[in-house]
Amino acid sequence: TRGDAVHAWPQWSPDGKQLVAWSYDTAARQHRVVLIDIASGKTRDLVASSGMLDRPVFHPNGQHVAYAAQVKGNWDIWLVRLADGETMRLTSEAQMESNPLWSADGKVLSYKVAPATGVYSLTGQYFMTFENGYANPTIHAWNGPESVQMNHWSPDGGRIAYTAEVISDASGRDQVTYAAMVSDLNLTESRANATGTRLLAKGLTLGDRGPVFSPGGDKVAFWAWNRDGAAAIWLFDLEADALEPLATGGGAMYPQWRPDGNAILFESNVNGQVDLFTVAVAAR
């Protein structure tokens, strides 16, 4: 991308030929969802609005993009069809809906919900299915820990990785913090039930962020503030129920798995400079 507009939240299309991203034109004061062709560099506006837009994500079929939009002061989840730019509003409640995230098979769309009361800390994770088409989605309300922020789907769609509020004494006294968790997801007619929940850090960290499943779905990497105040990358083996530190001694954050599952990419602040690093993950 070039020019004066700000760009963020890029995501690859399923075929790897395009990116979808959020953009803000400071001169025109317009928020946009843009489609970027990698080969030509050409950019196409999918959505343009004077209201705020947020976090566009490709449907796995590559034909639709979900995003959050603020219309008349209310945040909702929307869908745009790439073929003709037609938009569709998927939610219309007074509560704030944001952060859409598709399951790998595209059958379920998760999103974060904050109550209309303004008590943001009581966020839940809702799920939407489309047995009756996009015009009539089925909403599955969250039944799990409070103040939740989903971060990743397991490859098979049966589990979710997220953070939620807990009370921890890792600092030496009881404090409210965020812990990385993995739950099995069970969707009933109207509920999204988090079952078999596992706390990944086992009380060893001050607070966790960004859990991501390995490509095989058997491990989860996340970053956390350690008891010494430094950020580190941790690895949890779901099958062995084992936790180990992978990268410590710096500001290690934002892990991403290599597609073969044998290494993790992350950023870390070492000697006052933020750089990119990789760390190997041993195969079982």
Side-chain angles (χ1 to χ4, degrees):
T1 58
R2 297 172 178 82
D4 296 331
V6 179
H7 295 84
W9 296 306
Q11 189 203 39
W12 289 103
S13 62
D15 64 7
K17 296 180 180 180
Q18 300 178 99
L19 292 173
V20 68
W22 166 85
S23 174
Y24 180 65
D25 187 325
T26 54
R29 296 185 178 181
Q30 271 203 326
H31 295 260
R32 295 187 173 103
V33 174
V34 297
L35 194 65
I36 305 166
D37 182 78
I38 298 301
S40 67
K42 292 181 178 179
T43 298
R44 168 190 164 197
D45 289 350
L46 290 177
V47 183
S49 173
S50 58
M52 288 190 286
L53 305 173
D54 189 34
R55 300 180 187 272
V57 285
F58 265 107
H59 188 287
N61 67 13
Q63 299 174 19
H64 296 86
V65 167
Y67 61 98
Q70 189 182 46
V71 179
K72 296 181 179 179
N74 186 35
W75 282 94
D76 283 298
I77 304 298
W78 290 69
L79 193 70
V80 58
R81 186 165 57 200
L82 271 62
D84 55 12
E86 180 182 352
T87 60
M88 179 178 298
R89 189 174 189 167
L90 299 181
T91 64
S92 56
E93 291 80 7
Q95 58 198 11
M96 175 183 177
E97 290 101 357
S98 62
N99 296 49
L101 190 62
W102 293 102
S103 62
D105 61 7
K107 293 181 179 180
V108 187
L109 181 65
S110 71
Y111 57 98
K112 185 172 70 174
V113 173
T117 59
V119 185
Y120 185 80
S121 63
L122 297 180
T123 55
Q125 194 71 29
Y126 281 36
F127 296 80
M128 189 181 298
T129 53
F130 306 95
E131 300 89 347
N132 302 311
Y134 291 127
N136 189 27
T138 301
I139 306 298
H140 307 268
W142 179 247
N143 181 26
E146 289 186 346
S147 193
V148 63
Q149 170 66 67
M150 183 170 161
N151 198 69
H152 204 210
W153 286 91
S154 66
D156 65 3
R159 288 171 166 172
I160 55 174
Y162 58 98
T163 58
E165 268 190 4
V166 297
I167 297 176
S168 170
D169 63 358
S171 65
R173 58 189 179 92
D174 286 349
Q175 288 184 311
V176 177
T177 187
Y178 282 85
M181 303 181 184
V182 166
S183 294
D184 298 322
L185 181 66
N186 177 28
L187 299 180
T188 64
E189 184 175 344
S190 61
R191 303 292 283 177
N193 298 307
T195 61
T197 300
R198 299 162 80 173
L199 275 69
L200 305 187
K202 298 180 179 291
L204 298 179
T205 63
L206 298 179
D208 310 330
R209 297 289 187 274
V212 284
F213 286 99
S214 64
D218 58 331
K219 299 179 179 68
V220 178
F222 62 98
W223 69 273
W225 298 108
N226 285 352
R227 290 176 175 175
D228 62 3
I233 305 296
W234 289 78
L235 181 69
F236 188 89
D237 189 314
L238 291 165
E239 296 182 1
D241 194 35
L243 176 70
E244 65 172 307
L246 282 187
T248 60
M253 302 178 178
Y254 310 119
Q256 295 184 43
W257 286 89
R258 198 166 71 184
D260 63 9
N262 293 327
I264 289 172
L265 172 74
F266 63 97
E267 68 176 56
S268 186
N269 186 347
V270 179
N271 299 323
Q273 177 174 310
V274 178
D275 285 303
L276 301 179
F277 297 83
T278 60
V279 59
V281 177
R284 290 189 60 197

